[in-house]
Amino acid sequence: MHINEGKSRDHPKELSYDPFPSILQIESTNKCNFSCVICDSRWQQRPKGEMRFEVFKAIIDQFRPSTLWGAILQGWGEPLLCEDLFQMVKYLSDRRVFGHFNTNGSLVAGENIEKIFESGLQSIAFSIDALDEKTAEKIRANSKKYPVYQNLIDFIKEKKRRGCGPRVMVDFTISNLNLDQVGPTLKFCEMIGVDVFNVHDFFPYPNVVKRFPEIRQLTDEELLELKGILNNARIQTVYDSWKESTCRLLRNWMYIDWDGRVFPCCHFHSTDFLLAENPFDLLSVWHGAKLNAWRQAHIKYPLCKKCLVL
């Protein structure tokens, strides 16, 4: 098991950062067909939409493939609801830029499976938080309408048939609601041939905690139980519990909404935190006064102090 967690909480006065972002997180769409209790998306007051390929291409073309390591094509929605998604992935693949997105798995079926393999996608993560359908529906409302588990099985079967394809991950958001589901879900992943089982903590978004006060992060005792399960896994497992002194995303990562607006990260969508609007010169934004000010001041924000990345 690989555990991403640190010890330091000392905050340096200056945050150094790379000359350019090596990873872009580009929100392909904020539309979603699920209504997950752990997600802040349903409470966000912003229009629904999806990025067009022309905007995406203009973003990617600002970087040389040798400097841009990868692009994550997700934000607050289900990427497979974006009409231009596969064109975006193919553009990344042709430029030898790593491409990844998370999916709730509901639409990974039929011709979409073929399109994923043909696009050259290098990594895909299925968001699955329980093997028990009752628990899964409690966390990810509307999931019972779709054969998510079978879709994952079929996708891996196709990968084995082809002898190649993207790395397949299962992304498990852990809370008190589903600790008992880690073991069964991990065994399921081992049985069908998932490459990586990734566990990360539930994030206590204010809107979520206010409406669902029964949801909480694990206690220290429960965390020991979780680590014991992961330590005995027969596939690669990762537990993300980042506690770095400063935000690593602000050092090498840039976030862009579906409508081409740049924000410090996916958690901040208020115009108070807007860094730039399309069209823009991303390197100027990266080295600009607004983002540099944010790099030095971000630790004062309550949301940053609770963040899994920090």
Side-chain angles (χ1 to χ4, degrees):
M1 175 181 66
H2 180 63
I3 301 178
N4 293 326
E5 59 182 1
K7 298 179 181 179
S8 174
R9 275 295 188 181
D10 296 326
H11 307 300
K13 294 181 179 180
E14 298 294 329
L15 172 61
S16 61
Y17 60 97
D18 294 349
F20 43 79
S22 57
I23 301 174
L24 299 179
Q25 183 178 356
I26 300 174
E27 183 181 54
S28 49
T29 182
N30 65 341
K31 300 176 183 177
C32 193
N33 54 346
F34 280 15
S35 187
C36 304
V37 299
I38 56 176
C39 182
D40 191 53
S41 178
R42 61 199 293 191
W43 318 117
Q44 292 173 3
Q45 301 299 314
R46 60 188 183 116
K48 299 295 184 182
E50 56 190 87
M51 182 171 284
R52 297 269 67 96
F53 176 73
E54 292 74 19
V55 176
F56 174 83
K57 182 177 182 298
I59 293 170
I60 300 300
D61 285 350
Q62 295 187 43
F63 299 89
R64 297 193 303 272
S66 59
T67 60
L68 181 61
W69 179 81
I72 300 172
L73 304 181
Q74 69 187 65
W76 288 102
E78 167 52 48
L80 287 167
L81 291 173
C82 175
E83 182 179 349
D84 293 344
L85 177 68
F86 297 115
Q87 193 176 1
M88 295 176 186
V89 175
K90 181 66 164 56
Y91 194 69
L92 293 175
S93 178
D94 289 345
R95 291 170 65 88
R96 298 188 178 182
V97 175
F98 184 89
H100 168 90
F101 63 79
N102 281 37
T103 174
N104 59 34
S106 63
L107 304 177
V108 184
E111 65 177 12
N112 276 345
I113 292 181
E114 177 76 15
K115 289 179 178 179
I116 290 172
F117 282 98
E118 295 302 318
S119 70
L121 185 71
Q122 292 182 276
S123 177
I124 185 171
F126 287 71
S127 297
I128 296 177
D129 305 315
L131 201 60
D132 173 69
E133 291 187 358
K134 184 177 180 180
T135 304
E137 179 65 19
K138 183 177 182 179
I139 297 172
R140 296 186 179 272
N142 296 332
S143 62
K144 65 181 181 181
K145 297 178 182 179
Y146 303 93
V148 174
Y149 311 109
Q150 188 59 51
N151 287 352
L152 175 57
I153 292 171
D154 292 343
F155 188 84
I156 292 176
K157 283 182 178 179
E158 179 63 15
K159 179 180 176 180
K160 290 178 179 178
R161 187 189 71 81
R162 290 172 176 256
C164 64
R167 175 187 61 178
V168 180
M169 307 171 64
V170 162
D171 194 67
F172 190 105
T173 302
I174 186 73
S175 72
N176 62 306
L177 299 182
N178 62 347
L179 176 58
D180 65 332
Q181 290 298 301
V182 175
T185 307
L186 175 57
K187 288 181 180 179
F188 170 71
C189 292
E190 292 172 338
M191 180 182 67
I192 66 174
V194 169
D195 297 312
V196 182
F197 186 70
N198 180 52
V199 179
H200 61 83
D201 293 326
F202 157 70
F203 189 89
Y205 297 106
N207 284 322
V208 174
V209 173
K210 178 181 178 180
R211 293 169 172 84
F212 304 99
E214 70 275 15
I215 307 176
R216 59 168 173 80
Q217 293 180 328
L218 299 188
T219 64
D220 290 343
E221 184 178 348
E222 290 168 334
L223 184 57
L224 287 175
E225 180 182 347
L226 168 66
K227 291 181 179 179
I229 296 171
L230 298 182
N231 278 331
N232 293 314
R234 293 187 287 112
I235 60 174
Q236 181 183 353
T237 61
V238 176
Y239 173 57
D240 278 333
S241 182
W242 302 85
K243 293 181 179 133
E244 300 186 28
S245 59
T246 56
C247 181
R248 62 187 170 91
L249 301 189
L250 294 175
R251 296 197 291 267
N252 63 4
W253 188 295
M254 180 172 274
Y255 177 81
I256 305 169
D257 267 356
W258 69 265
D259 55 2
R261 297 187 301 166
V262 183
F263 290 91
C265 78
C266 64
H267 297 313
F268 295 92
H269 293 283
S270 165
T271 53
D272 294 339
F273 305 109
L274 180 66
L275 298 176
E277 294 185 85
N278 187 51
F280 40 60
D281 177 349
L282 286 176
L283 285 182
S284 294
V285 177
W286 183 249
H287 294 284
K290 285 186 177 181
L291 187 49
N292 275 326
W294 179 263
R295 288 186 176 106
Q296 308 313 323
H298 71 282
I299 193 59
K300 73 179 183 181
Y301 291 98
L303 200 61
C304 289
K305 292 179 180 179
K306 296 178 181 178
C307 187
L308 307 179
V309 173
L310 190 60

